Amino acid sequence: MAAIPSTFRAFVAERVADDRVERGLREAFPAEDLPDGDVEVRVDWSSVNYKDALATTADGKVARISPIIPGIDLAGVVVASSSPSFAAGDDVLAHGYDLGVARHGGYAEYERLPADWVVPLPEGLTARDAMAVGTAGFTAAMSVAALEARGLRPGDGPVLVTGASGGVGGSAVAILAARGHEVWAATGKPDEEARLRALGAAGVVARDEVTAESSRPLESGRWAGAVDTVGGPTLPYVLRTLRTGAAVASSGNAGGPRLETTVLPFILRGVALLGMDSVLMPIEERRGLWGRIATDLRPNGLGEGITEVTLDTLEPALDAILAGEARGRWVVRIRD
Ligand SMILES: NC(=O)c1ccc[n+]([C@@H]2O[C@H](COP(=O)([O-])OP(=O)(O)OC[C@H]3O[C@@H](n4cnc5c(N)ncnc54)[C@H](OP(=O)(O)O)[C@@H]3O)[C@@H](O)[C@H]2O)c1
C-alpha cells in the first residue's frame, strides 16, 4: 500500500516541557510517522470535542503519546486497504478506542487505522453529517438506546437532559425529541433556550435547580428518564427525582467526578444508573448503532447550526471550547 503521500498537512500537539505543549499546523507531516494499520484513509472531516482541546494542553491528561495528531473523530474515504472488509473508495468513519489519545487522530489529511476500528459510513449520512454527530452525538444515541432498552417509551412522561447546551446534551435533546419523547433541557445558559426549543425541547430547567443540594434522599418523582452529561451535584439530583422504575444514562463529568448520593433511589424506587462508555464499545455494536443514527436515532436538525473550522482555524476553536464558550457542535473541514 502506498496511497498516502510522503508528507501531508496535520495539526500536531507536542509536549516540549512538563508544563508546556506546543501545538500548531505542520505543512509536511511525514507519512512514515503514522502507526501501522490495515486501512489508509483520506480524512475529509473531523470534529472538535472538549477531549480534543484537553489533548493539546499540558495538564489535560488526555494525550498518551507525544507528538500527537489530536482528533477523536474522523470521516473520509479509504485510499488503500489490506483488509478484505474495506476497499479503496469506501466512505468510512472512525472514533473511539485510542484514536486521538494514544494513536494519531483526525486532524490530518491522512490516517492509517486498524480495520476493526473502522465503521462504514451508513447510507443516509454524509461524512460531514457523521462528524456533526461525532463522539458526542454517538454517546447521546447510545444513551437514548440504553434508556429505551430499559423500557422508556415516548408518552411515558418528561425526560431530562442535563448539560443540554453541550455536544452530548444537545444531541440527546435532538434525538429524544425526534423519537417523540417529551424532553426537558437543563442548562446554565438561559440564552440557549431558543436553540434548545428548536432542537425539540418541550421545556427548559435552570442549572441551579438541578445542582441544588438537598437533605432529602428522595423528592417528588418527576422524570420518566434522564440523560446526564454533568455528574457532580447533578446526578444526585437526577437520582432523587426519577420516577419509580426509571433510569438515568450517565456519560459525563462536566460538573465534577464525585458522586455523593444514597442507595434509597435504588432500593425504594428501583431506579437504574446506566453507565455509558463510547470509547470501548465493541466494533460490531458500534457499526450497528451508527446504522441507527442514520435512521431511527437520527437527531432533529442534523447538520444545521454547526460551526465549521479548518486546520488553519482550529486553534481558536480549541481555546473556545476550553473556555466553555462553545455552543453546539463544531466540525473541521480538513481540505479545501
Ligand atoms: N462516556 C463517554 O463515552 C463520553 C463521550 C463523550 C463525552 N463524554 C463526557 O460527557 C461530558 C459532556 O461532553 P460534551 O462533549 O457534551 O461537552 P461540552 O460540549 O463541553 O458540554 C458540557 C456541558 O455541561 C454543562 N455543565 C454543567 N455544569 C458544568 C460545569 N460545572 N462546568 C462546565 N460545564 C457544565 C454545560 O452545559 P449547560 O450550560 O447547558 O448546563 C456544558 O455545555 C463531558 O464530561 C465529556 O467528557 C463522555
Side-chain angles (χ1 to χ4, degrees), residues 124-140:
L125 289 186
T126 64
R128 185 181 187 278
D129 288 342
M131 292 298 95
V133 173
T135 291
F138 183 85
T139 305

Side-chain angles (χ1 to χ4, degrees), residues 180-292:
H181 293 279
E182 179 192 329
V183 194
W184 285 70
T187 181
K189 305 184 186 83
D191 59 332
E192 282 285 280
E193 177 163 350
R195 189 176 73 85
L196 291 167
R197 285 190 184 272
L199 288 177
V204 170
V205 183
R207 190 194 289 175
D208 289 350
E209 186 176 337
V210 301
T211 51
E213 299 215 345
S214 171
S215 56
R216 296 168 59 198
L218 291 171
E219 291 176 52
S220 163
R222 178 171 179 194
W223 307 110
V227 173
D228 177 48
T229 73
V230 175
T234 303
L235 187 50
Y237 161 84
V238 173
L239 288 168
R240 64 180 189 263
T241 55
L242 283 175
R243 293 181 182 175
T244 295
V248 53
S250 158
S251 62
N253 60 358
R258 283 188 70 81
L259 175 57
E260 289 176 25
T261 184
T262 73
V263 297
L264 296 185
F266 305 111
I267 64 176
L268 295 182
R269 285 194 184 152
V271 310
L273 174 52
L274 309 175
M276 299 295 117
D277 174 18
S278 67
V279 175
L280 293 178
M281 180 189 275
I283 190 65
E284 282 310 325
E285 210 180 317
R286 189 183 301 280
R287 290 170 180 155
L289 189 56
W290 272 104
R292 293 195 61 192

